[in-house]
Amino acid sequence: MTFLPSSDRKHRRSPRAPLLPQKHAAAAAAAAAEPGEAGFDGASFSGAVFNLSTTIVGAGIMALPATLKQLGLIPGLAMIVLGAVLTNTSIDMILKFSRASKSPTYSAAAADAFGGAGRALLQSCIVVNNLGMLVVYMIIIGDVLSGTWSNWVHHTGVMEEWLGQHWWTSRAFLLLSTTLFVFAPLISFKRVDSLRYTSALSVGLAVVFVAITAGIAIIKLANGSITMPRLMPKLVDQTSFWKLFTTFPILVTAYICHHNVHPIENELKDPMQMKSIVRSSLTLCSAVYIATSFFGFLLFGDQTLDDVLANFDGDLGIPYSMILNDIVRISYGIHLMLVFPIVFFSLRLNLDGLLFPYAKIPIAFNNRRFYTVTAALMGFIFLGANFVPSIWDAFQFTGATAATSVGFIFPSAIALRDTHGVATKKDKVLSWIMILLAVSSSIVALSSDVYGFFNSDEGVGS
């Protein structure tokens, strides 16, 4: 009998080992384990674009009109474009250095550059970022269904509006029902490509939201009931100046999709299409963001709330406004329900890597681990959605810390480390620029939040 060395018996996962099986191994295992998934021959270009776009266009879009209220129209729109450019640059870096190190995941690329500690730190940032985002999604869904409070004013939800205030229209009950009957089935898929159809629908619903908002704003602008919003920020004192920097985490969070780039790429028929997929997704999402921000701010002006969906609860000053309000809120609420499993996919994957670094079997093929981690995460998200008071609070925390690290600091640090000698001078210059922008803006944003908290200021989006 031959005995394996003790180090082999531990089945330690190498820092470079993929958290997901590679495409062909995954397809073979899925065919054996899940007969309904047999015959998978790789994800298509369009399916990948929809999945990545859905990762990007989540809850961040709802806070963008409030960022324009803080920054003014011209600087706000310029920052949205700049965010897209920097995101494309950082993802290009991740892909370039992942291929140089033959790393099939983002965390494996971090491990190649900084060892196991680097991988664990990145995974921790992804877990914090995605948890924060999913809590935000559930908060907005709760706002849509059951209503929300802002400045001591209650903005009714659609279920309250239709059925009145009862225990079955309460926030906790509606979120629990959504968790059990919508999220539970969708987060049970073990391949990201299985969500391509729901992702396509979610992008379509986001476009419906933009189209209706734009139509209402144009009609009101034409009949003279609204005026053009402020083009530049309104600075009245030192506090209002520093508050401008608190919008940076919101813009960073709006574009975070780095954690899903590798899972999508690993399932592609042709992985070399990934750069084109990223650019196509960012172009589509930037157009949606610009239109939403411009028309949302144009429509509500200085009355724009942190979550612009909450503004769609009263008379808009045009015929059928209440019907349009309900269509807008319901369409975007469903959109977020369909975005949820995409973000949850990488959250579960990275938390598993943190908790079970020595696991021999990937989480997709260990049902006990898969469903235990899934249930624990859903429980945490559900509790967070019922106790976090504002989406701006959640965005500020995750955007200024974890999202900034995942989106800009880690890609730049990997490029500067350059363990395989493939970085160009341009890569290094861009890396230093992104690190300086990310670190300085995050420090200022967090400092401004702390200052505002101890001076009893109103929330930035109020």
Side-chain angles (χ1 to χ4, degrees):
M1 180 180 294
T2 302
F3 292 91
L4 292 174
S6 59
S7 59
D8 289 339
R9 289 200 302 269
K10 289 181 180 179
H11 302 298
R12 181 181 178 88
R13 178 184 286 158
S14 164
R16 302 187 186 187
L19 293 173
L20 274 180
Q22 295 188 29
K23 182 175 71 175
H24 299 297
E34 300 181 47
E37 297 292 323
F40 177 64
D41 191 33
S44 65
F45 184 94
S46 60
V49 169
F50 284 130
N51 279 331
L52 191 61
S53 298
T54 300
T55 306
I56 299 171
V57 183
I61 190 174
M62 292 296 100
L64 288 178
T67 66
L68 262 63
K69 183 177 75 170
Q70 292 297 320
L71 294 173
L73 192 62
I74 294 175
L77 295 179
M79 288 294 291
I80 291 173
V81 174
L82 178 62
V85 172
L86 291 177
T87 299
N88 182 68
T89 300
S90 64
I91 293 176
D92 276 352
M93 286 182 180
I94 294 172
L95 292 174
K96 178 177 181 177
F97 291 94
S98 293
R99 287 166 184 165
S101 62
K102 295 182 172 60
S103 301
T105 65
Y106 188 5
S107 57
D112 180 77
F114 301 106
R119 180 187 63 187
L121 181 59
L122 174 62
Q123 288 173 332
S124 299
C125 289
I126 293 174
V127 168
V128 170
N129 175 74
N130 288 22
L131 271 176
M133 289 303 302
L134 293 179
V135 168
V136 167
Y137 292 177
M138 288 195 75
I139 290 173
I140 295 180
I141 291 168
D143 292 349
V144 169
L145 297 178
S146 186
T148 186
W149 288 85
S150 178
N151 295 330
W152 306 104
V153 176
H154 183 63
H155 300 268
T156 59
V158 292
M159 299 304 291
E160 282 184 333
E161 183 182 305
W162 293 348
L163 304 175
Q165 291 188 348
H166 305 283
W167 66 267
W168 60 83
T169 61
S170 67
R171 188 182 195 89
F173 179 78
L174 291 172
L175 288 181
L176 179 61
S177 300
T178 302
T179 298
L180 294 176
F181 300 111
V182 179
F183 293 149
L186 291 177
I187 62 178
S188 298
F189 288 113
K190 297 181 179 180
R191 268 208 333 262
V192 70
D193 188 62
S194 300
L195 298 166
R196 62 191 181 279
Y197 297 119
T198 57
S199 294
L201 178 58
S202 73
V203 172
L205 289 170
V207 172
V208 168
F209 168 79
V210 172
I212 294 176
T213 304
I216 295 170
I218 291 170
I219 291 171
K220 295 193 70 174
L221 187 63
N223 63 27
S225 56
I226 57 174
T227 58
M228 284 296 292
R230 286 182 290 103
L231 298 181
M232 301 301 291
K234 183 179 180 181
L235 301 176
V236 294
D237 53 25
Q238 186 177 7
T239 301
S240 63
F241 171 76
W242 290 114
K243 279 185 177 180
L244 298 180
F245 292 91
T246 63
T247 61
F248 176 78
I250 311 299
L251 293 164
V252 170
T253 304
Y255 282 107
I256 288 296
C257 61
H258 305 63
H259 48 80
N260 263 349
V261 169
H262 284 87
I264 291 171
E265 182 189 34
N266 290 339
E267 294 181 4
L268 284 174
K269 294 178 183 177
D270 180 8
M272 298 308 294
Q273 293 180 322
M274 197 61 210
K275 280 193 175 184
S276 298
I277 289 167
V278 170
R279 290 188 176 89
S280 299
S281 297
L282 286 173
T283 300
L284 172 62
C285 296
S286 298
V288 171
Y289 282 174
I290 289 170
T292 301
S293 303
F294 175 76
F295 290 112
F297 185 37
L298 179 65
L299 185 57
F300 299 111
D302 287 336
Q303 303 304 313
T304 303
L305 300 174
D306 295 352
D307 174 7
V308 76
L309 274 182
N311 286 108
F312 289 91
D313 72 331
D315 186 3
L316 298 173
I318 63 171
Y320 309 109
S321 64
M322 295 309 294
I323 295 175
L324 290 173
N325 280 338
D326 288 348
I327 293 173
V328 164
R329 290 187 291 172
I330 292 171
S331 65
Y332 210 81
I334 296 173
H335 162 79
L336 288 182
M337 293 178 190
L338 301 178
V339 173
F340 192 98
I342 288 285
V343 179
F344 191 92
F345 187 91
S346 59
L347 168 62
R348 178 172 52 208
L349 190 66
N350 283 277
L351 181 62
D352 178 70
L354 279 173
L355 297 179
F356 305 103
Y358 304 104
K360 178 181 179 181
I361 304 173
I363 187 172
F365 307 115
N366 185 321
N367 285 337
R368 176 183 292 182
R369 206 162 88 236
F370 182 88
Y371 291 111
T372 300
V373 172
T374 298
L377 285 172
M378 278 307 311
F380 183 91
I381 293 165
F382 177 79
L383 292 175
N386 281 280
F387 291 103
V388 175
S390 165
I391 69 168
W392 199 278
D393 296 334
F395 275 138
Q396 282 296 303
F397 174 72
T398 60
T401 54
T404 302
S405 299
V406 172
F408 297 117
I409 294 177
F410 265 99
S412 301
I414 290 171
L416 291 172
R417 182 74 168 174
D418 192 23
T419 54
H420 298 275
V422 296
T424 63
K425 184 177 180 180
K426 179 182 177 182
D427 291 334
K428 295 187 176 181
V429 170
L430 287 173
S431 296
W432 279 116
I433 291 173
M434 286 197 293
I435 287 177
L436 290 173
L437 282 174
V439 172
S440 59
S441 298
S442 293
I443 291 173
V444 172
L446 289 173
S447 301
S448 179
D449 283 344
V450 172
Y451 176 83
F453 175 78
F454 284 107
N455 285 275
S456 301
D457 272 347
E458 294 179 350
V460 74
S462 60

